Amino acid sequence: MTSGSHASPSGPPPERPRRKRGAWRIGTPVVLLLSGSLFAISAYNSEGTDLRPGRYSDLAGLVDTEAEKYDQLKGRLDDLTEDVNTLTAGVKDRKVNKLRRRVEDLRDPAGLEPRRGPGVTVTLSDAPEDVINSTTRKLSLLVVHQQDIQAVVNAMWRGGASAVTIQGQRVVSTTGIKCHGNAVLLQGIPYAQPYVIQAVGDPDTLGDAVIDDEDVDYYLQRAQLPDISVGWDLEAEDDVEAPAYDGLLDVQHAEVLRKQG
């Protein structure tokens, strides 16, 4: 099942309000002088080469390097987890056993058990290179952002999904999605587009929830405009696999918001 937007492709997508910029001040000549100096330094350091290579030229290397680091850390985590489980199993205490059973009951709703069944697949991708090279639109409209991915995931949850994955990784309550250069960070690992988002659940209900979502509709408007043409595909699936989440569950960077008195 491939679905589209209800919006008409005849006009540009709505722009979100921006703050007005202030007028230039008398420091403009100084800024121009410094800029000229920076250009000269850049030309000298680059020795005639491009300091800013193509959008995707170094992305594969970045992804491979970060993925290798992740695999090493994951291996260490698995070893430590096994040691903890072995030590925990040796504890003979009624309260500990009760808490252990409670943990087992919560494993599935927490995403720590695999899920499989019918569902949907949504694929988001940047605009084609020929469109990017020829359009007069802002570049930010032609690429997939973290909020685009988040909008699809949130719509899937509202549609009754029992499990969601992004790039094959299980989404849990501590999952973070963040733009990082030309990639999107997921669980701290960079992934290049296209972004494949899958959900386990009723395909019709999930599909309707995604298409009817207001934030997803904004993306669909961009997908329909020829001079933007971000990639979009929604397919019903007979069988979707959502592996168990096997990463860290602790919130690493949260801070308590203190009320200002």
Side-chain angles (χ1 to χ4, degrees):
M1 174 180 70
T2 303
S3 301
S5 168
H6 301 298
S8 171
S10 59
E15 293 279 357
R16 293 187 177 141
R18 298 173 178 269
R19 293 181 179 177
K20 295 182 179 179
R21 297 181 178 178
W24 287 99
R25 299 183 182 275
I26 58 174
T28 299
V30 178
V31 174
L32 292 175
L33 178 61
L34 291 175
S35 298
S37 300
L38 288 175
F39 285 135
I41 294 171
S42 297
Y44 175 80
N45 289 334
S46 66
E47 297 180 346
T49 61
D50 186 4
L51 285 174
R52 296 185 63 197
R55 292 196 310 136
Y56 302 113
S57 60
D58 62 345
L59 186 55
L62 171 64
V63 171
D64 289 342
T65 300
E66 294 300 321
E68 183 178 351
K69 291 180 181 178
Y70 175 82
D71 289 340
Q72 293 174 354
L73 292 173
K74 182 62 173 57
R76 178 60 174 160
L77 172 64
D78 291 342
D79 293 339
L80 293 174
T81 300
E82 185 176 351
D83 291 343
V84 170
N85 291 338
T86 300
L87 293 172
T88 303
V91 176
K92 305 299 180 182
D93 181 86
R94 179 179 299 177
K95 183 177 292 186
V96 170
N97 291 335
K98 181 178 180 180
L99 291 174
R100 194 179 298 161
R101 289 192 297 270
R102 177 62 174 159
V103 168
E104 289 300 315
D105 292 339
L106 293 174
R107 286 183 61 84
D108 183 58
L112 304 181
E113 296 292 339
R115 284 286 188 125
R116 185 171 185 173
V120 297
T121 298
V122 172
T123 305
L124 309 179
S125 58
D126 295 351
E129 283 294 326
D130 60 329
V131 175
I132 292 176
N133 294 332
S134 63
T135 188
T136 58
R137 295 278 193 168
K138 295 179 181 178
L139 180 60
S140 60
L141 294 173
L142 281 71
V143 296
V144 179
H145 297 281
Q146 66 188 54
Q147 58 265 32
D148 300 322
I149 300 174
Q150 290 167 342
V152 173
V153 171
N154 290 338
M156 288 175 168
W157 288 129
R158 286 192 290 270
S162 60
V164 176
T165 65
I166 305 172
Q167 305 296 75
Q169 296 238 23
R170 186 73 172 267
V171 175
V172 295
S173 60
T174 57
T175 297
I177 306 169
K178 182 180 180 181
C179 286
H180 183 70
N182 298 327
V184 168
L185 287 177
L186 176 65
Q187 325 281 34
I189 306 300
Y191 291 93
Q193 58 95 33
Y195 302 106
V196 179
I197 310 164
Q198 292 188 302
V200 178
D202 179 73
D204 292 333
T205 304
L206 288 171
D208 290 342
V210 170
I211 291 297
D212 293 340
D213 183 84
E214 181 179 352
D215 293 324
V216 174
D217 185 66
Y218 176 75
Y219 182 91
L220 290 172
Q221 292 180 52
R222 290 156 52 201
Q224 288 189 339
L225 292 170
D227 55 348
I228 296 182
S229 296
V230 286
W232 165 265
D233 185 65
L234 169 61
E235 297 288 340
E237 305 285 1
D238 294 329
D239 187 32
V240 173
E241 284 190 66
Y245 177 78
D246 59 358
L248 294 174
L249 291 173
D250 293 338
V251 177
Q252 300 296 312
H253 303 290
E255 295 183 3
V256 177
L257 295 177
R258 303 188 182 279
K259 187 176 181 180
Q260 300 294 327

